Amino acid sequence: MLKEARAIVGRLRRVAKARLAPTPALTNTEYWTSYNVTSHRQFASREESLNDLRWRNAQYLFYDELMPCSGHDSKVILDYGCGPGHDLVGFYEFSNPARLVGADISPASLKETRERLQLHGGDSVELVQLEEDKPRLPFEDGTFDYIHSSGVIHHTPNPSAILKEFRRTLKPSGTARIMVYNYHCIWLHLFVAYERRIVRKMDAGLPLEESFKRSTDTEECPISRWYRPEEFLQLCSGSGFTGKLAGCAISINEMEILPKRYQALRDLALPDEHREFLHGLTFDGYGRPLWKSHVAGIDAVYELGPA
């Protein structure tokens, strides 16, 4: 009996130790294969797919004007980090590209993209599987007229290497539009800094950067960072680009929480950097908050060209 009891105690200790052990972090490939922005939705028709594209664009006010899928006739286009195919559908439906390529690290998303494109007759679209630890793109120098990357670079471990590949594969006359998360946004300064950390008392003891990461693309997302415009443009410059901040789009979620601005300003617990941001906002004719003339939204879009 004593021997059996010791064995049971040993098993319980091993189980308890396993429960206390931290869950291994997912790799980018593992995470983006298990999760994507459509929640692996299967579309039944072309119209259903287009409705979803229109709905998603509407969640970020005027985003489709900053990252347009129309107006790219006769171009060779790369959609880097195409996910489940939203913008590839847009390029195929609203432009007439000479060649259209989508690239992603997630085999599940690429499979869903192929199935979705078939609803649109887009069998000619090329899909490329990427490896997260190998940033080199499988294309020759100067292949693309236009590189489009919507909400991807800020999730990568080596953004500089990816930008250098964009520069290598972009034609001398080509352009790129890249969206990354914006430091000067309502999401960071009001939702994360106030609602999440002070009101909901989440992320106690964690750095602000970690709270932001956990708040964007689920708490399990391995990498999610913001950029100030000067930081991202310096990164682009070091990769061989010249460029500018084309504009920012604000999410419906940010607009919904905006009325809590004054509540946050009254709270003594709010750190000064967020108080100064919220106090300094102005507003445009659409009711969008502005920080120093740019919309204070989470999606910052940069237009780049070869230096």
Side-chain angles (χ1 to χ4, degrees):
M1 291 292 291
L2 182 59
K3 185 177 181 180
E4 292 176 359
R6 285 174 176 168
I8 292 171
V9 169
R11 285 199 298 273
L12 290 174
R13 285 175 176 168
R14 288 193 293 273
V15 169
K17 185 177 181 181
R19 287 175 176 171
L20 290 172
T23 303
L26 296 174
T27 67
N28 262 359
T29 301
E30 290 170 338
Y31 176 77
W32 293 106
T33 296
S34 64
Y35 167 83
N36 67 24
V37 294
T38 60
S39 299
H40 302 290
R41 177 178 174 183
Q42 299 292 310
F43 296 95
S45 66
R46 172 178 174 271
E47 189 55 37
E48 184 180 326
S49 172
L50 286 173
N51 283 341
D52 190 79
L53 175 63
R54 288 189 287 264
W55 174 86
R56 181 164 177 78
N57 283 339
Q59 304 312 297
Y60 301 86
L61 302 182
F62 302 101
Y63 184 71
D64 51 348
E65 294 181 8
L66 292 170
M67 295 286 283
C69 292
S70 60
H72 297 289
D73 293 354
S74 303
K75 293 181 181 179
V76 179
I77 300 171
L78 171 64
D79 182 359
Y80 183 89
C82 64
H86 277 299
D87 292 342
L88 288 174
V89 166
F91 285 119
Y92 187 80
E93 287 279 354
F94 306 123
S95 290
N96 185 25
R99 180 185 177 191
L100 181 55
V101 181
D104 204 275
I105 61 173
S106 167
S109 286
L110 290 173
K111 179 177 181 296
E112 292 163 23
T113 296
R114 174 56 67 205
E115 293 169 353
R116 185 174 181 180
L117 284 167
Q118 286 173 351
L119 298 173
H120 299 265
D123 292 332
S124 62
V125 178
E126 302 169 43
L127 299 180
V128 176
Q129 171 81 56
L130 300 173
E131 297 182 54
E132 65 178 282
D133 58 347
K134 296 179 180 179
R136 186 171 178 83
L137 296 172
F139 306 107
E140 295 181 358
D141 295 0
T143 296
F144 299 105
D145 298 291
Y146 183 67
I147 294 177
H148 172 102
S149 183
S150 178
V152 177
I153 296 295
H154 52 232
H155 292 309
T156 62
N158 193 348
S160 178
I162 294 170
L163 288 167
K164 288 175 181 175
E165 279 298 285
F166 287 178
R167 175 64 183 87
R168 180 184 66 80
T169 58
L170 193 66
K171 294 179 181 179
S173 59
T175 59
R177 285 228 168 186
I178 299 172
M179 185 277 276
V180 294
Y181 289 148
N182 179 26
Y183 171 80
H184 301 299
C185 70
I186 295 298
W187 190 257
L188 172 62
H189 293 287
L190 185 56
F191 177 75
V192 176
Y194 176 66
E195 179 67 18
R196 184 178 174 95
R197 291 168 70 89
I198 295 174
V199 176
R200 302 184 188 180
K201 303 185 186 304
M202 299 175 69
D203 306 333
L206 294 178
L208 182 65
E209 293 86 350
E210 180 66 17
S211 286
F212 179 83
K213 180 182 80 69
R214 290 171 174 234
S215 76
T216 54
D217 299 82
T218 82
E219 295 203 355
E220 290 74 34
C221 185
I223 302 169
S224 186
R225 62 173 72 88
W226 70 65
Y227 288 96
R228 294 172 175 84
E230 60 272 20
E231 294 170 341
F232 191 70
L233 288 172
Q234 184 176 8
L235 185 67
C236 294
S237 176
S239 302
F241 283 108
T242 184
K244 65 179 181 178
L245 174 62
C248 302
I250 192 166
S251 67
I252 296 297
N253 289 336
E254 290 174 288
M255 294 297 289
E256 284 180 334
I257 198 173
L258 189 56
K260 291 192 175 184
R261 174 193 180 206
Y262 294 111
Q263 181 180 323
L265 284 169
R266 281 200 305 266
D267 198 315
L268 285 170
L270 186 70
D272 285 347
E273 69 171 303
H274 312 300
R275 187 182 311 281
E276 291 168 4
F277 173 86
L278 295 174
H279 187 270
L281 294 175
T282 58
F283 292 83
D284 69 7
Y286 296 100
R288 297 175 298 178
L290 306 177
W291 172 254
K292 297 183 177 179
S293 79
H294 283 292
V295 173
I298 192 171
D299 291 351
V301 176
Y302 295 85
E303 184 176 60
L304 307 176

